[in-house]
Each structure stands twice: as C-alpha cells, then as structure tokens.
Amino acid sequence: MPQTTSKSLVSLINTSLKPELSRRQFLRRLGVGASASLLASQSIAQSLAIDITDHESAQLTKDDLPAASIDANPSLVANTKATSAPSQCLNPSIETRLFASSNVGANEVRNQLALQRMACAGFKIQNPAITERQYLRFAGTDSQRASDLQNIASGAIAAPKLLLGVRGGYGAMRILPSIDWRTLGSIMAERATVLVGFSDVTAIQCALLAQGKMSSLAGPMLYSEFGKTNPDQVSCRQFAQALSNPKLTIEVNSAALTSEQLPVIFADNSSQMITGTIWGGNLSVVSALAGSPYLPRIDGGIVFLEDVGEQTYRIERMLYDLYLAGVFKGQQAIVFGALTGTGEDSYDPRYDVAVVIRQLHELTGLPIYNGMSFGHISQKSSFPLGATCQISANTAGGYQLSFADYPTIKAEAINVEGFWQQA
C-alpha cells in the first residue's frame, strides 16, 4: 500500500474511530460491512475511490464507496489530462432542483463545493438550502424529504429540467407512499425533466417508473461525486454525455467488474439482438421492493443490477428474492454492472459471484450480460433507466447497449469541466 494511503488510513482511524470499537464495528464505520475485511489485499484508496482523509468519511454509505477502480479508457484519460487547466465557468441556465431522499450530507464545505461546481457547469440550482437539513441520519424528516418531489407533483413548484439527487445511503423507501408518482411522472414527461441518482435513489427511480411511467438517469450525485476533493473526471464526462446525447451507446468488452470468472455474454446465443425497456439499479434496493407496488412490472424488460460490499451469499439471497417473487418472469435479459467488495466466502472460496450468476442463468434461462461500467465504482458510465435499450454483440467479443426514448439537455448548456473545478 502506498505510504500516503497508509497515512490517510491511520488518520481516519485516529480521528474518527473510537478505540473500543470491535473489528466488525470498525469495518461498518468504514461503510461496507463485514466483507470489507476481504478487500485488504487492494489499495484502500483505489478500492474506495473517495477522499479518505475527509473527516465525514467516517460515516460512509454505499453511494460513497466505489469498491474498485476500472482500467481507464486511454482516450478518456488523455482527454482528462489535456483539460486539467481551469476552465471558464458558464452562466448557469439549466433549471435544477435537488432532492434529498436519503442520508444527510453532513459536511457543509463539501456541499458548498458541489454547489459551486454545479453552477460552474451550467446548472442553476433553485433550492440549495436543502443540503442543510438533517433529522437523525436523514436529510430531513420524511415529510421534508418527500416534499422535494411531492411539491412538484402537487403543482406548488414548477418542474425543473434536472432533478439531481444529493446522495444515497438509506431512507428513500420511507417516503415512497407520500408521493403522487403518477402525477409526478406526467408532469416530468411534459417538461422532459431528467431525474438523476443511483444507490438508495434506486427506490425513487423504480417508483417513478412503476407508477409514473417516467424514465430517469443512473448517474452521479451532488454530495457523493461533485463534492469530492477531486471528482472523477471520467464519470463526470460520461454523465454529461448521457445527459445530452439522445442516442447514447455504451461498449462493454470485459466482465471483470462483475466477475473475472465469467464471460462477457453468458447466453445460449451470444449473437442475438435484444430490445426492451431497461430498469433496475442497486440490487439491495430492488430486492427490498419485491412485492411492493413500487417495483416496475415491465413485459419484455431488461433488468440491470449492481451492488457493493455485499458478500456472495447475500447477493445470491437477494437474487433468489427476485426469482421467487417472479420478477425475472417475462424479462428478456439481465445486465450486471459492478458487483464489488464481495470478498472470499469463509466456508469455501470456490463459492463466488461467478457461481451465483451461473446458477441464476440456469434458473431463469435468460441471457446475462456482465461487466457494464456502472455501480459503486470510479469511471462509471451514466445511462437512462426506463428507456428503450438495444443490446447487441460487438466485434470485440463484448456487447453494445444503445439507448433511445429519454429526455436530454442541450450539450452547449453544459460546461463539463466545471464539475471538477477547484475552489
């Protein structure tokens, strides 16, 4: 482990953790549960892809914790290096509202930095004060958090062009019954509003699609990405691309983010082309919604799933939750993003994610596509959920996802370099 990383970790331990914490409590404070001990062979700075020296990192949640970095796309890295110099900020013109459905973002300096960057990138945030709310661990009371979206559904507040999640963690499920999703979806469709988030915000995105018939964007959030000391420039560029490109495509040529032991395409006919509505998100949240009216029921759909810090047996249990609830029936395919931080099974190291996904393929008979570059990782590729998705094999032995039928924002209104501007 690099010396600087070791010092950062020591600083985190000394300043943020009580000496009487048990090993399990220590790992939970780091944010990924007991399986975190199984990540020790990796560089912690690379594995978490966060600013570990920040004091608020002592209360990390899943949206803060990319458990792996992916190999950089050389062209993207080249572009990043070429544009490292400060850029001119745009006059913010994209009407934007924040919604804070989950954990509080407790570091005010980080909040302010994120807000400044969004403005520099061209986004005019109308309700920045919600970053100051807190009730227990949440970003406000249930009523306050629900009002971020319900006020739009009721007509009290006009729908913006962008609805950006503040952060994930936990809490979104608590507010689902308090929102008129059908009306909200209708208003958002008329305004062509883009709602963005992932992790715990999956609950919001699923409810919006299930009851409001409205798409959203799986992408980075205010506090957990744009408030970092050094936001991931590749993720920022991919976010801007997904926001502005009405014909987004994503190429996947490796299964490594899901499991190095799996093929990229796990199907009886790897050359088939599949077209359907892509939906899903964080596996923990999707499985928790099974049996509720907030889980989409889409005929001929394509299910996307990702997660972090969950041991292999827990991943399988959640997949069985969905299988036994009949969620995979009528679906055309399953796409896995990053399943990171699973570690090694304490009973038998041969029991891993690859075994679980092979079992899922046998159970469902569905083609499974692995390694999509989204989840709790750096260099993530944002993409629309609830949109039309076509999956086809590419010439490199992998696959391509092509998206259509989702709202976008004019590219010229976005200053992508503003997302990582330094204060």
Side-chain angles (χ1 to χ4, degrees):
M1 184 180 297
Q3 185 178 8
T4 55
T5 301
S6 300
K7 288 181 179 179
S8 298
L9 180 59
V10 170
S11 174
L12 174 63
I13 296 171
N14 290 339
T15 61
S16 302
L17 302 180
K18 298 179 182 179
E20 67 269 18
L21 290 179
S22 68
R23 175 175 172 275
R24 190 171 201 177
Q25 289 170 321
F26 167 79
L27 293 171
R28 283 182 174 174
R29 185 67 67 86
L30 283 181
V32 291
S35 62
S37 61
L38 304 173
L39 299 175
S41 61
Q42 304 178 34
S43 164
I44 291 179
Q46 291 179 344
S47 298
L48 301 184
I50 57 169
D51 304 310
I52 201 167
T53 52
D54 288 353
H55 293 298
E56 46 77 28
S57 297
Q59 296 181 353
L60 301 173
T61 54
K62 282 190 173 186
D63 63 305
D64 297 304
L65 286 168
S69 296
I70 63 174
D71 292 336
N73 181 321
S75 63
L76 292 174
V77 171
N79 289 337
T80 296
K81 291 180 178 178
T83 58
S84 58
S87 67
Q88 187 70 32
C89 291
L90 287 179
N91 181 29
S93 62
I94 303 168
E95 295 180 0
T96 303
R97 292 191 68 85
L98 304 176
F99 67 96
S101 57
S102 308
N103 273 30
V104 62
N107 187 321
E108 185 56 27
V109 172
R110 183 165 175 168
N111 282 323
Q112 290 304 313
L113 181 57
L115 291 169
Q116 291 169 15
R117 284 173 171 155
M118 290 299 295
C120 184
F123 297 85
K124 186 177 182 179
I125 295 181
Q126 301 169 342
N127 60 335
I130 75 166
T131 61
E132 302 171 10
R133 293 186 325 217
Q134 181 172 1
Y135 172 72
L136 302 176
R137 64 172 289 152
F138 308 109
T141 64
D142 289 357
S143 176
Q144 287 175 318
R145 289 180 291 117
S147 71
D148 294 341
L149 299 174
Q150 179 56 26
N151 282 343
I152 297 172
S154 68
I157 293 173
K161 185 58 182 174
L162 181 72
L163 274 167
L164 179 64
V166 173
R167 72 177 303 183
Y170 169 70
M173 292 183 69
R174 292 171 56 130
I175 68 173
L176 297 185
S178 301
I179 298 168
D180 180 353
W181 296 103
R182 191 167 286 104
T183 302
L184 178 63
S186 177
I187 292 173
M188 287 177 60
E190 183 177 354
R191 178 68 174 87
T193 299
V194 183
L195 182 145
V196 182
F198 80 114
S199 193
D200 193 56
V201 175
T202 294
I204 301 295
Q205 294 168 309
C206 282
L208 181 63
L209 180 59
Q211 297 195 3
K213 311 302 180 186
M214 183 61 191
S215 67
S216 61
L217 189 72
M221 295 179 285
L222 182 84
Y223 186 91
S224 49
E225 183 63 57
F226 305 120
K228 290 179 180 178
T229 301
N230 295 296
D232 174 32
Q233 294 186 24
V234 173
S235 294
C236 292
R237 289 187 181 279
Q238 299 293 73
F239 172 54
Q241 175 76 357
L243 274 178
S244 60
N245 187 350
K247 296 182 179 180
L248 181 72
T249 60
I250 296 174
E251 297 280 342
V252 181
N253 294 315
S254 170
L257 282 173
T258 304
S259 171
E260 294 181 351
Q261 310 306 316
L262 286 171
V264 185
I265 303 174
F266 194 27
D268 297 331
N269 179 12
S270 61
S271 63
Q272 66 180 316
M273 183 180 294
I274 297 173
T275 301
T277 299
I278 190 165
W279 66 278
N282 181 258
L283 173 59
S284 298
V285 178
V286 172
S287 66
L289 292 175
S292 79
Y294 306 110
L295 188 71
R297 292 165 174 80
I298 297 173
D299 292 334
I302 298 169
V303 186
F304 170 80
L305 298 167
E306 60 81 23
D307 219 319
V308 63
E310 299 289 356
Q311 295 183 47
T312 302
Y313 80 91
R314 291 173 62 97
I315 289 175
E316 182 166 57
R317 181 165 59 195
M318 290 185 287
L319 290 171
Y320 259 95
D321 283 344
L322 297 175
Y323 170 70
L324 295 174
V327 172
F328 295 124
K329 290 181 179 179
Q331 302 305 294
Q332 294 191 76
I334 302 170
V335 177
F336 279 104
L339 294 176
T340 47
T342 58
E344 184 178 278
D345 187 73
S346 59
Y347 288 91
D348 191 327
R350 295 173 298 178
Y351 177 69
D352 59 12
V353 167
V355 170
V356 168
I357 291 180
R358 291 180 188 277
Q359 171 75 355
L360 182 65
H361 176 64
E362 290 183 12
L363 285 171
T364 64
L366 295 174
I368 295 177
Y369 297 83
N370 300 301
M372 185 176 173
S373 54
F374 191 85
H376 293 75
I377 55 171
S378 59
Q379 301 178 26
K380 61 173 65 69
S381 296
S382 300
F383 70 98
L385 290 165
T388 300
C389 176
Q390 183 181 87
I391 307 178
S392 57
N394 62 24
T395 57
Y399 61 94
Q400 175 180 279
L401 300 103
S402 301
F403 302 91
D405 305 324
Y406 54 94
T408 56
I409 294 171
K410 291 181 179 180
E412 56 267 28
I414 303 172
N415 171 29
V416 64
E417 295 173 31
F419 290 130
W420 61 79
Q421 284 283 72
Q422 297 302 315

